[in-house]
Amino acid sequence: MPPKFKAPRGTRDQLPADMATWRALEDNARRLAGLYGYRPIETPIFEDSKVFERGIGEVTDIVEKELFRVRSPGSEEDRWALRPEPTAGICRAYVEHGMHTLPQPVKLTTWGPMFRYDRPQAGRYRQFWQFDVEAIGDAGPAIDAEIIELAYRYLREAGVMDVELHLNSIGDGTCRPAFIAALVEHMSRFAAELPELDRHRLEANPLRVLDTKNPRTLELLAGAPRIADYLCDPCREHWDGLLAHLDALGVPVTPAPMLVRGLDYYTRTAFEFYQRGAQGQQSALGGGGRYDGLIELFGAKPTPGIGFGLGIDRIALLVSETRDSALASAHPVAIVVGADPAATAARLKLATELRAAGVAASADLAQRTLSRQLERAAREGAHFAVVVGDELEQGEVQLRDLDAGTQRLTKVADLSRELLRAHGSHRHG
Ligand code: AMP
């Protein structure tokens, strides 16, 4: 029979077999961010929709089409929305909690699910995870290089081969308007040839035309003005400084003159990561940029910031093929089995004592024969079976090494120490 219910379209269950890679990615995210001095923050997974409308921009795919809006019971309006990305919420929290009084920059990191109502396909989900890092209160460019190198290192340590950093400057409020005017002038000449979507973008948010996937628009863009030719002196200095710092850190750069990112609040530095040779939007493993205009939008004094979000689902897809999943998955050290199928209390008590002593142990609590219990212990991949029998009255059990096929009588009092020692030397040496 087909199952009656399935996970919602665009979402996935992370089954225990997937979680080994996932956990390793999460542990390393927390470890690396900590090493670099980024402190953990958690913000709600839903916010006032205005936080996203304001902080991401009303004329972006994310806000126009992809926001999961939430209506509270009895209300007529969708006041809330599930977060499509973490930066807006983190900046809202920075302002709300007066973090401008802390030593700057405030370095923050988070890990968690994001939600976008997009058309699902491989590598694109409606619920997906990001590892996110933000530095608020430093105008750069050295901090830009630090944060980019952190993302680069993370991807390499995760096992992504040939990480490619695509880097651009999108200028700021001083120089970008002249570039946009020149872009609009150039592209308007071909307005009749543009597809509907790009015509809309050209009118509503022209920079986003550079994001196009349409082949004809791409052809027309080949002859369009380049932002690099329009940067004002401070933006050019920032760009040169960033390149020098990345060079000092040994991070190779692929200039990406068309890279603008879909979010309005970005200034100057914009970047994305790819695996070399991979094509197309779905292959971006993460991206980020400078958002010097964002904090101000939340009602605080102008404060610079930079951050990135890495797409964990895509990274996991790439690296799970190369990782030794057997090594990473958790098998119990010991399973407590017994000659008397009905004596579940004795087995459970012994397993509980072993766990209290730090041994990954479980008890077979089904009332089945000893040989069935042993079969299951082997299938679970346990290293040892602890066999409870009549010897328990003398404070002893049989300790069977399922890997070696040996068995000996062991005192219950020595059991946890024995298991930890034997398991440690077996698996690591
Ligand atoms: P963005 O804020 O759109 O630049 O997203 C940053 C990163 O998150 C992307 O480079 C992807 O790796 C990942 N990402 C964004 N949207 C999705 C999605 N719908 N499904 C899976 N990963 C995503």
Side-chain angles (χ1 to χ4, degrees):
M1 272 223 306
K4 198 165 174 186
F5 294 106
K6 290 186 171 179
R9 202 162 117 81
T11 71
R12 294 165 308 147
D13 299 311
Q14 300 278 359
L15 300 179
D18 312 319
M19 286 307 288
T21 302
W22 200 263
R23 273 275 191 85
L25 288 171
E26 181 171 0
D27 289 349
N28 211 35
R30 296 193 193 285
R31 187 187 69 84
L32 263 190
L35 271 185
Y36 282 65
Y38 289 82
R39 299 170 64 207
I41 183 169
E42 294 281 354
T43 61
I45 56 171
F46 66 98
E47 298 265 358
D48 193 318
S49 319
K50 293 198 185 64
V51 168
F52 304 122
E53 284 158 2
R54 199 161 292 176
I56 295 171
E58 307 223 19
V59 189
T60 53
D61 282 354
I62 291 183
V63 169
E64 280 184 322
K65 297 190 291 210
E66 298 171 8
L67 216 49
F68 263 97
R69 296 182 184 269
V70 180
R71 180 166 299 191
S72 21
S75 165
E76 293 289 291
E77 61 159 350
D78 300 331
R79 168 135 190 236
W80 316 103
L82 302 186
R83 63 180 181 193
E85 56 85 52
T87 310
I90 287 178
C91 288
R92 193 264 312 136
Y94 175 93
V95 173
E96 180 176 340
H97 301 284
M99 292 192 221
H100 64 279
T101 59
L102 301 175
Q104 306 291 301
V106 176
K107 296 164 88 175
L108 300 168
T109 180
T110 200
W111 167 286
M114 308 297 152
F115 304 85
R116 293 185 195 174
Y117 192 76
D118 206 346
R119 198 166 48 79
Q121 48 186 273
R124 198 206 279 160
Y125 309 104
R126 289 180 171 171
Q127 178 178 2
F128 60 97
W129 269 254
Q130 279 191 0
F131 165 37
D132 180 81
V133 171
E134 312 282 349
I136 305 177
D138 184 332
I143 190 87
D144 301 28
E146 181 191 81
I147 226 170
I148 288 171
E149 193 271 338
L150 164 50
Y152 181 72
R153 176 178 305 254
Y154 178 78
L155 288 167
R156 301 219 337 181
E157 287 187 3
V160 181
M161 305 298 164
D162 294 327
V163 181
E164 201 167 273
L165 161 67
H166 291 199
L167 187 66
N168 194 21
S169 171
I170 55 169
D172 65 6
T174 309
C175 54
R176 197 161 41 203
F179 167 68
I180 291 176
L183 180 70
V184 170
E185 195 195 312
H186 175 86
M187 293 307 282
S188 300
R189 274 186 255 146
F190 309 100
E193 294 178 52
L194 293 177
E196 175 75 35
L197 176 67
D198 288 336
R199 244 198 331 262
H200 164 70
R201 286 171 166 179
L202 193 62
E203 280 165 24
N205 184 356
L207 212 51
R208 291 207 42 234
V209 175
L210 302 185
D211 261 346
T212 191
K213 286 169 215 92
N214 183 278
R216 181 64 190 136
T217 312
L218 282 170
E219 268 173 32
L220 296 169
L221 279 173
R226 294 283 156 123
I227 179 88
D229 300 323
Y230 286 80
L231 294 184
C232 56
D233 288 345
C235 283
R236 157 108 9 237
E237 251 171 60
H238 189 275
W239 172 250
D240 292 341
L242 173 56
L243 292 182
H245 280 83
L246 286 172
D247 187 47
L249 297 179
V251 179
V253 170
T254 305
M258 305 283 263
L259 174 62
V260 285
R261 315 239 330 122
L263 315 182
D264 266 358
Y265 52 68
Y266 283 107
T267 51
R268 295 186 174 165
T269 311
F271 55 95
E272 263 173 352
F273 293 97
Y274 291 86
Q275 180 167 46
R276 184 156 299 130
Q279 296 284 314
Q281 285 271 315
Q282 255 74 264
S283 55
L285 300 177
R290 184 158 273 291
Y291 46 82
D292 294 350
L294 180 56
I295 294 282
E296 215 176 330
L297 293 177
F298 291 121
K301 72 172 175 26
T303 307
I306 181 162
F308 67 72
L310 296 183
I312 299 306
D313 304 73
R314 293 183 191 173
I315 297 168
L317 273 177
L318 269 186
V319 304
S320 56
E321 292 151 19
T322 54
R323 227 164 231 282
D324 182 352
S325 54
L327 192 84
S329 64
H331 295 295
V333 174
I335 295 198
V336 184
V337 299
D340 175 5
T344 49
R347 297 201 287 279
L348 179 57
K349 181 164 180 282
L350 194 49
T352 305
E353 284 164 7
L354 288 173
R355 292 189 286 244
V359 181
S362 58
D364 194 324
L365 299 175
Q367 302 203 12
R368 53 186 151 202
T369 62
L370 178 57
S371 63
R372 280 285 167 78
Q373 295 177 48
L374 284 167
E375 262 170 40
R376 184 204 152 208
R379 271 189 58 195
E380 292 261 311
H383 186 178
F384 292 98
V386 175
V387 189
V388 178
D390 295 340
E391 312 88 350
L392 191 62
E393 283 170 28
Q394 283 81 53
E396 288 178 327
V397 287
Q398 291 288 351
L399 180 56
R400 185 184 292 209
D401 185 328
L402 294 171
D403 290 355
T406 55
Q407 177 166 317
R408 69 196 150 83
L409 211 54
T410 307
K411 286 201 164 48
V412 171
D414 297 339
L415 196 56
S416 61
R417 201 164 1 104
E418 224 9 56
L419 282 169
L420 287 171
R421 192 193 52 76
H423 184 68
S425 66
H426 174 81
R427 295 279 150 114
H428 303 296

